[in-house]
Amino acid sequence: MRRRSFLQTSGLASASFLTPAFLRAGLRGSSTSRQGKILVVVQLSGGNDGLNTIIPYGDDIYYRERPTLSIPPAEVLTLNDYQGLHPALAPLRDLYQSGELAILNGVGYPEPDRSHFRSMDIWQTGSSSRQNWSTGWLGRYLDQLPANQHPYHALEVDDGLSLALKGNLQRGFAMGDPSRLRRSVRNPLLPEQAHAQVHEQHTVSYLYETLTRTTEAADYLYEKSRVYRSRQSYPIGNFGRDLKQVAELITADTDTQVYYLSLTGFDTHARQQGPHQRLLDQYAKGMAAFVADLKQNRLFEDVIIMTFSEFGRRLAQNGSGGTDHGTANNVMLIGGGLERAGVLNSPSSLSRLDQGDLIYDIDFRRLYATLLDRWLGTRAEPILSGRFELLDFI
């Protein structure tokens, strides 16, 4: 069997075979601790309805185009004279008022694509809509790090690795549950089979070496996951569990600089109100618990949380009580080290549309460039294959 075929079909492929060198170093007794800033990326998969998240309650057009789906002005948690939060996002209002939440309106890219898969590829790779890249923006960031020297890497809290964390030379590590990962890689049949043939085939030799590194990584993450047990109350469900795990790993001083996790279910074509409210409630309560965890351990100043979705929804509601695929959307940034907070730019115009969709104001690659340059401390231009004007929130 070819090496690539084996890795694609093996259950261990979801654990990201290309194990980061810093994890192996940690098992060899390295005393190096995490330093610098941490980026947490939260992906709202399915295309979150930004207009019912950050609500333009001051615009009559919003209510005209959404006669049954709009949020009544009396229920909106006002941020200024024009925009406010969905009532399910009440925990975020405290962060907004304390200068720990920033909102970017109208984030998108030229010639937008309304396909979930294509638009997510664009966001995860950092390409233009006319390019097809096979590596992610965070994966290429990892490629810039000195091999076997730098302690920072990236971890996706999932059983599979997103394109965003795949580079040419390095890639992030995917882990859903530390205990389950450790048990899976410690199956005695796997190393025995590889060891029996290690000198016979280069492919099997490679497999044995990779399995060893993956086992070491699993052991390291498992041990780190036991260092700190959070007492915060997180919402029930996968998203709350994932946030809790990230908080515990950060507090345990795990050698990881980028964390990536997702909340799914935002493709709300029909009967949107109930499901969307429940998703926003889950997100907001999860964020509140996560922030409280970080603050309790005096780590909030070192963390920025970026929340995005592959696109927004159309202005007008559809005939099924939902919204269809749109274009530009808002991005939320949460952190204790923001230089600017609040609503950072003007909201998207509801009177000037492109085929019924919002027109983007900020290219999402400006956001990436800012995070890479000013937060992760690396040159953004070679990673994004171009120069993008930086934003001033950090």
Side-chain angles (χ1 to χ4, degrees):
M1 181 182 290
R2 292 183 179 180
R3 180 176 70 185
R4 177 174 295 182
S5 299
F6 182 89
L7 293 181
Q8 288 176 339
T9 56
S10 169
L12 286 175
S14 64
S16 299
F17 262 120
L18 298 180
T19 306
F22 78 87
L23 293 172
R24 303 196 303 275
L27 283 164
R28 290 195 296 267
S30 169
S31 60
T32 302
S33 294
R34 173 188 54 77
Q35 301 174 18
K37 305 299 185 181
I38 292 174
L39 172 64
V40 178
V41 179
V42 178
Q43 173 181 301
L44 305 182
S45 300
N48 176 45
D49 181 10
L51 289 172
N52 267 27
T53 301
I54 311 298
I55 301 162
Y57 76 97
D59 198 322
D60 292 339
I61 298 175
Y62 166 73
Y63 291 99
R64 184 190 73 201
E65 296 296 326
R66 297 186 171 201
T68 62
L69 194 58
S70 57
I71 306 300
E75 297 179 17
V76 175
L77 304 176
T78 60
L79 302 177
N80 52 41
D81 292 337
Y82 185 85
Q83 288 183 294
L85 298 173
H86 188 288
L89 296 177
L92 299 188
R93 198 181 195 187
D94 291 339
L95 298 177
Y96 183 89
Q97 293 173 339
S98 60
E100 297 164 338
L101 168 64
I103 297 168
L104 287 170
N105 289 303
V107 183
Y109 53 89
E111 301 178 81
D113 195 299
R114 294 169 182 80
S115 160
H116 288 294
F117 303 105
R118 179 62 187 136
S119 191
M120 186 60 79
D121 278 354
I122 292 168
W123 272 86
Q124 291 196 357
T125 63
S127 72
S128 73
S129 59
R130 295 188 177 187
Q131 297 169 312
N132 287 278
W133 291 355
S134 60
T135 59
W137 71 286
L138 291 169
R140 295 192 302 278
Y141 158 70
L142 299 176
D143 286 343
Q144 303 294 307
L145 303 182
N148 302 323
Q149 296 180 20
H150 209 292
Y152 309 148
H153 216 84
L155 174 66
E156 180 160 7
V157 187
D158 201 341
D159 290 325
L161 193 67
S162 297
L163 178 57
L165 278 70
K166 296 178 181 179
N168 283 306
L169 304 174
Q170 301 190 63
R171 54 177 58 195
F173 193 86
M175 178 190 68
D177 177 80
S179 299
R180 188 174 70 246
L181 173 63
R182 189 171 187 252
R183 288 195 302 270
S184 66
V185 299
R186 284 183 168 271
N187 184 332
L189 296 178
L190 293 173
E192 286 176 8
Q193 281 189 325
H195 184 68
Q197 306 177 62
V198 69
H199 299 298
E200 297 178 14
Q201 300 181 46
H202 171 72
T203 297
V204 180
S205 178
Y206 172 86
L207 171 60
Y208 185 73
E209 178 186 353
T210 306
L211 177 61
T212 300
R213 289 184 287 146
T214 304
T215 302
E216 291 174 345
D219 286 343
Y220 175 82
L221 289 170
Y222 174 74
E223 293 302 328
K224 283 294 185 181
S225 72
R226 302 175 64 192
V227 171
Y228 168 71
R229 294 296 187 188
S230 171
R231 296 183 179 180
Q232 291 295 329
S233 177
Y234 285 83
I236 297 172
N238 292 340
F239 184 66
R241 179 205 65 200
D242 292 348
L243 281 171
K244 181 173 182 285
Q245 182 170 293
V246 171
E248 291 173 345
L249 289 172
I250 291 174
T251 306
D253 203 21
T254 306
D255 294 331
T256 305
Q257 191 175 22
V258 177
Y259 293 88
Y260 199 98
L261 58 158
S262 301
L263 177 60
T264 63
F266 287 90
D267 196 16
T268 51
H269 285 281
R271 298 185 293 277
Q272 174 179 305
Q273 278 189 331
H276 192 237
Q277 177 170 333
R278 287 190 289 273
L279 285 167
L280 293 182
D281 179 75
Q282 192 175 13
Y283 169 78
K285 288 179 178 176
M287 284 294 108
F290 185 61
V291 169
D293 238 344
L294 296 176
K295 286 183 174 180
Q296 179 182 346
N297 292 286
R298 300 181 181 179
L299 292 166
F300 190 47
E301 298 290 327
D302 295 330
V303 178
I304 278 185
I305 307 153
M306 181 193 84
T307 301
F308 81 100
S309 196
E310 68 263 37
F311 47 62
R313 316 295 289 192
R314 310 204 83 183
L315 168 60
Q317 69 179 65
N318 61 30
S320 301
T323 51
D324 296 326
H325 299 180
T327 53
N329 207 351
N330 44 57
V331 169
M332 288 182 281
L333 299 151
I334 298 172
L338 297 176
E339 292 293 327
R340 284 188 64 214
V343 179
L344 301 184
N345 62 323
S346 299
S348 300
S349 172
L350 303 188
S351 60
R352 188 173 63 91
L353 304 176
D354 179 11
Q355 302 179 59
D357 288 323
L358 303 181
I359 299 174
Y360 86 98
D361 178 52
I362 295 177
D363 192 308
F364 75 101
R365 289 166 293 185
R366 293 181 61 192
L367 171 62
Y368 288 180
T370 305
L371 291 169
L372 289 166
D373 187 276
R374 293 183 174 170
W375 194 252
L376 296 180
T378 192
R379 290 183 62 237
E381 188 172 346
I383 294 173
L384 300 176
S385 296
R387 182 174 297 177
F388 297 90
E389 182 183 357
L390 302 185
L391 302 167
D392 62 357
F393 61 88
I394 48 177

